[in-house]
Amino acid sequence: MIKVGVLISGQGSNLQALIAACESGRIPAKVEVVVSDKPDAYGLERAKKHKIATAIFEPKNYTDKNTYELEIVKVLKEHQVDLVCLAGYMRIVGPVLLEHFPGKLMNIHPALLPAFPGLHGQKQALEHGVKIAGATVHFVDDGCDTGPIIAQVAIPVFENDTEETLSARILEQEHKIYPLAVKLFAEGRLKIEGRRVKVK
Ligand code: GRF
């Protein structure tokens, strides 16, 4: 059973999907702690409902990113987490988190990377006129949504899709592939080889 720390900034529906998968026994993992950079993130309420420890660190209270991230690392280490999942965490991870959790940081992005990284992946996809959209779970490196890809899911874009309808259908799929990626990690089945993630 591995211990997971989840970083959030908002509603935390992916966090909820991870908690549900852990609690039902579908994945051999437990969400030990949820860290938010926003005090009003709804995901914090979700964590509390499941009696999961929470912590809030607001970057504006720290002199720089390294000092801010060191506080997060401290909490994650206190809870002895084996894996850190970014779930709607709206910040680029800096060197401190990367150094302390090498190969142990995952993110979910609402687009088929390497297309449409950064903010508003779904809107970017719609504006580009793609026919297929999707979501990606990847390990985090020092770029923005550039790390080795673990899992992806593709869905069709409909003629009448808006950013809202497309985002909702992508989110449904996110809730499936994030627990899957964590399951593979927890079972020791993921191996990073350069840019590729081999699944044993
Ligand atoms: C998701 O679309 C995720 O891919 C993106 O931000 C959104 C967060 O949703 N990074 P939630 O907070 O997990 O509900």
Side-chain angles (χ1 to χ4, degrees):
M1 178 82 81
I2 66 156
K3 295 178 177 175
V4 180
V6 182
L7 268 54
I8 61 164
S9 301
Q11 59 167 345
S13 69
N14 278 291
L15 163 69
Q16 188 74 59
L18 291 174
I19 295 172
C22 291
E23 288 189 348
S24 70
R26 273 182 287 139
I27 59 181
K30 184 171 184 296
V31 179
E32 287 287 334
V33 60
V34 173
V35 178
S36 174
D37 63 340
K38 299 229 167 60
D40 58 352
Y42 181 64
L44 290 167
E45 303 307 315
R46 298 183 193 265
K48 284 175 196 156
K49 272 187 204 143
H50 291 265
K51 307 209 173 355
I52 296 167
T54 58
I56 301 161
F57 299 108
E58 289 186 89
K60 65 170 193 212
N61 296 335
Y62 299 87
T63 46
D64 54 48
K65 190 167 193 146
N66 288 357
T67 324
Y68 160 70
E69 286 198 344
L70 266 176
E71 291 299 305
I72 298 179
V73 166
K74 217 165 109 189
V75 167
L76 294 171
K77 297 276 181 192
E78 270 166 22
H79 287 273
Q80 301 180 326
V81 309
D82 305 291
L83 173 69
V84 182
C85 291
L86 312 185
Y89 177 67
M90 303 306 281
R91 292 184 183 277
I92 299 198
V93 163
V96 169
L97 268 164
L98 281 169
E99 272 161 26
H100 282 88
F101 294 97
K104 294 174 177 184
L105 271 160
M106 273 185 198
N107 181 41
I108 186 146
H109 182 74
L112 288 173
L113 293 172
F116 314 127
L119 291 176
H120 311 298
Q122 309 94 325
K123 185 162 178 257
Q124 293 184 55
L126 267 184
E127 284 174 355
H128 195 88
V130 296
K131 302 295 185 194
I132 302 285
T136 304
V137 182
H138 62 94
F139 283 112
V140 177
D141 66 8
D142 59 3
C144 175
D145 301 322
T146 50
I149 291 169
I150 301 164
Q152 291 188 298
V153 62
I155 63 161
V157 177
F158 301 140
E159 294 274 301
N160 56 355
D161 260 330
T162 60
E163 188 184 349
E164 288 68 35
T165 59
L166 182 61
S167 300
R169 292 207 317 287
I170 291 175
L171 199 58
E172 251 177 58
Q173 299 303 320
E174 292 183 41
H175 298 160
K176 293 180 187 159
I177 59 165
Y178 214 173
L180 170 68
V182 173
K183 177 178 156 70
L184 293 172
F185 182 94
E187 292 172 348
R189 292 168 61 193
L190 298 180
K191 191 159 176 245
I192 306 175
E193 287 181 9
R195 275 222 53 86
R196 299 182 72 181
V197 179
K198 297 265 171 77
V199 181
K200 285 186 252 168

